[in-house]
Amino acid sequence: MSYPKPVALVWLRRDLRLADHAALAAAVRTGKPVYLAFVFDTEILDGLPADDRRVSFIHGAVSDVDQRLRAGGAAGLFVGHGRAEAEIPRLAALLHADEVFAGRDYEPRALARDNAVAAALQDQDADLTLVLDQSLHAPGSVLTGADKPYTVFTPFKRRFLAELTDQSLLDAGPDPDALHQALASQPPAPAVPELSELGFTGADLASLGIVPSETGATDLLTDFAERIGAYDTQRDFPGVKGVSYLSVHLRFGTLSIRAAARLAWATMAGQPDASHGAQIWLSELIWREFYMQILHHFPHVDGAAFKPAYDQIRWVDDDDLFAAWCEGRTGYPLIDAAMAQINQTGYMHNRLRMVVASFLTKDLGIDWRRGEAYFARQLIDFDLAANNGGWQWAASSGCDAQPYFRIFNPITQSTRFDPRGKFIRRYLPQLAALTDKQIHAPWLSSVDTLDQAGIVLGRDYPRPVVDHAEARRDTLLRYDVVKRKPDTD
């Protein structure tokens, strides 16, 4: 009796590309025919809105991988729809795969999923092999001299960079010729299901300038390479093109973290005039890994404060205030423009993420977990570790956090980082006629001035829902549980 020749199956997750792909390279090294698969996991998708932008991005990237595989003569991408612990063993059995390769995922729910998949595969005499891919250093591998996790960013960064080598940044993908030889062509994969077959209507990503593919990511990286030298001076200004806009591509792996870091590394080495901007951008990539390792070592942060004392804070339970924040009706233009940005596009500038998080927790006194959950629903680049880390930083409850007595003043932030009101005018056109000085705090203008601009407060734009100075005093009392002496604003 003859048996089918065993094959290797690559399970795509947060690595929706073919280049610089560690799991794909590991599969090719087995010498077996290689297939690729992806699962639209109902454990994740159930409950999401029909027009969820992330699902549209994933579907676009998955379709792109499938098309590129077929164009190269391969079978295409085998796509499942259901729970991963059932779909991956099913696809492995269908294709006679005795080895499944995937990039390691470190989120608590992903770890539980992968354990379930590994157990199911073992029941059919197949193995799950997980490889390093979504980070430069595996969470848990960068430790102090006492073999303990870092909880402060700066020493973590120093150790991280000390252990970063040229080898760490090498392209992890297989040789193109070896990949071409390894990719199996038969049986052909069924067509990728349409979004409607998955229960989704789709979102118009093209209108947002988002191209959900490896090519889209590469084009953005190339564009950013021309601007990286100014990153340190322009990254905090939402009204200018100062950031990379690569966060969604790093989140879903249409761009590898190695490719991103290689750009910074090469710029630092070869372009002295752009070196500082590249260093700052590399630091941002390291922040991403810092929060990954915090979640890895301290999984309780998913739902609770890193610093337990901050769980004693009595938050304000006010649904109307929370709705005003969510809907951009706070009366503070920079806050409201930022919330309009996330609601309309699924993206928010990084500086504004800090400002609106500070406003929710420090001006409105609302639990950071409510804001974290709202971002998780709205952000196309949502990443559990980064989102949680950012919110706990702003709420002062996390590791290496913003001290609670330093509270962002929303007006000062507005005048400093959107001085001409360019960003505000884009998302709050009803305020466009105000001068560059008036637009940051419309309620401070006279009625005659507002009339000339065609604005009636309470009709065309809301009055502030809180007074910042009063809210600051309330926050210092609320945070007194941590027993620290307030500093100056």
Side-chain angles (χ1 to χ4, degrees):
M1 181 181 296
S2 62
Y3 294 92
K5 183 179 179 180
V7 306
L9 179 64
V10 177
W11 176 16
L12 302 184
R13 294 113 69 89
R14 294 180 57 155
D15 47 7
L16 301 179
R17 63 183 186 277
L18 295 179
D20 199 356
H21 200 293
L24 187 55
V28 169
R29 285 195 295 269
T30 67
K32 301 173 183 178
V34 174
Y35 292 96
L36 286 81
F38 179 82
V39 175
F40 284 98
D41 194 338
T42 52
E43 182 78 4
I44 299 171
L45 300 183
D46 285 352
L48 295 180
D51 61 348
D52 190 277
R53 298 182 185 95
R54 290 163 295 189
V55 179
S56 293
F57 185 96
I58 293 167
H59 187 269
V62 163
S63 298
D64 179 70
V65 170
D66 175 68
Q67 292 166 12
R68 295 177 63 207
L69 287 171
R70 295 179 192 272
L77 185 64
F78 287 83
V79 176
H81 182 215
R83 292 174 65 91
E85 51 261 48
E87 286 298 298
I88 289 300
R90 179 185 69 80
L91 289 170
L94 173 71
L95 298 168
H96 306 288
D98 65 349
E99 291 184 90
V100 176
F101 295 87
R104 189 176 294 278
D105 196 331
Y106 303 93
E107 294 183 0
R109 294 172 186 84
L111 293 172
R113 174 203 62 201
D114 291 351
N115 287 337
V117 170
L121 287 171
Q122 286 180 351
D123 288 341
Q124 57 192 51
D125 296 323
D127 296 316
L128 175 63
T129 299
L130 301 175
V131 300
L132 176 68
D133 186 79
Q134 66 170 288
S135 58
L136 296 172
H137 294 315
S141 66
V142 179
L143 300 170
T144 69
D147 288 333
K148 293 184 178 181
Y150 286 96
T151 59
V152 177
F153 175 72
T154 300
F156 172 83
K157 175 185 171 181
R158 284 197 295 264
R159 184 64 177 267
F160 187 99
L161 288 172
E163 297 185 8
L164 191 64
T165 65
D166 291 340
Q167 188 71 24
S168 308
L169 302 179
L170 289 177
D171 188 318
D175 175 79
D177 290 336
L179 175 61
H180 181 74
Q181 293 295 322
L183 290 175
S185 61
Q186 296 294 328
V192 174
E194 299 292 333
L195 273 171
S196 58
E197 297 177 69
L198 302 172
F200 292 86
T201 57
D204 183 7
L205 299 184
S207 67
L208 303 176
I210 298 173
V211 180
S213 68
E214 189 173 337
T215 300
T218 301
D219 289 345
L220 278 180
L221 188 69
T222 301
D223 175 74
F224 182 58
E226 300 297 318
R227 301 181 285 108
I228 193 171
Y231 180 76
D232 55 327
T233 58
Q234 296 188 352
R235 66 184 178 125
D236 282 323
F237 297 88
V240 303
K241 189 179 179 181
V243 297
S244 71
Y245 305 103
L246 286 165
S247 56
V248 66
H249 293 283
L250 289 171
R251 169 61 180 89
F252 294 112
T254 40
L255 177 73
S256 80
I257 184 61
R258 291 173 296 277
R262 280 197 298 270
L263 170 61
W265 203 253
T267 304
M268 289 159 56
Q271 300 181 43
D273 292 345
S275 179
H276 191 248
Q279 289 177 29
I280 298 300
W281 193 57
L282 182 58
S283 290
E284 291 301 309
L285 299 180
I286 298 173
W287 269 107
R288 173 180 177 270
E289 304 221 5
F290 177 67
Y291 284 138
M292 280 186 184
Q293 65 96 30
I294 290 295
L295 181 61
H296 171 77
H297 288 291
F298 307 100
H300 74 275
V301 299
D302 184 14
F306 175 83
K307 300 173 182 175
Y310 286 83
D311 281 329
Q312 301 176 41
I313 292 175
R314 294 186 178 181
W315 299 102
V316 174
D317 186 13
D318 191 318
D319 290 342
D320 290 338
L321 277 180
F322 182 63
W325 178 84
C326 292
E327 297 165 13
R329 296 185 287 101
T330 70
Y332 287 87
L334 187 65
I335 303 299
D336 295 339
M339 297 308 294
Q341 183 182 42
I342 192 175
N343 291 332
Q344 293 174 25
T345 71
Y347 170 80
M348 186 186 289
H349 187 277
N350 189 59
R351 162 60 60 173
L352 300 183
R353 297 187 196 201
M354 295 188 288
V355 175
V356 301
S358 175
F359 188 85
L360 182 72
T361 57
K362 306 288 179 66
D363 282 78
L364 303 184
I366 292 175
D367 193 333
W368 59 269
R369 280 161 284 232
R370 297 189 71 176
E372 179 194 25
Y374 190 76
F375 271 28
R377 291 194 299 272
Q378 297 295 103
L379 285 173
I380 192 171
D381 61 5
F382 167 68
D383 175 272
L384 173 61
N387 191 50
N388 179 272
W391 272 96
Q392 295 223 40
W393 182 91
S396 305
S397 61
C399 59
D400 205 13
Q402 171 87 341
Y404 81 86
F405 46 80
R406 294 189 185 134
I407 300 169
F408 284 172
N409 183 316
I411 303 173
T412 301
Q413 291 289 310
S414 186
T415 58
R416 182 179 300 169
F417 297 112
D418 191 27
R420 298 179 60 188
K422 181 179 179 181
F423 179 81
I424 292 173
R425 287 186 174 88
R426 177 176 180 181
Y427 286 100
L428 301 178
Q430 66 269 40
L431 301 181
L434 293 174
T435 68
D436 293 352
K437 182 178 180 180
Q438 296 163 349
I439 199 168
H440 305 288
W443 67 92
L444 297 180
S445 296
S446 67
V447 173
D448 288 343
T449 298
L450 293 172
D451 282 344
Q452 292 174 10
I455 299 169
V456 175
L457 292 181
R459 183 194 70 184
D460 305 299
Y461 186 69
R463 298 180 183 277
V465 293
V466 292
D467 177 87
H468 173 69
E470 293 178 1
R472 184 181 185 280
R473 288 192 294 270
D474 291 342
T475 291
L476 294 178
L477 292 173
R478 185 178 300 112
Y479 275 70
D480 188 54
V481 66
V482 298
K483 306 297 182 184
R484 291 183 183 175
K485 181 179 179 180
D487 194 5
T488 58
D489 192 349

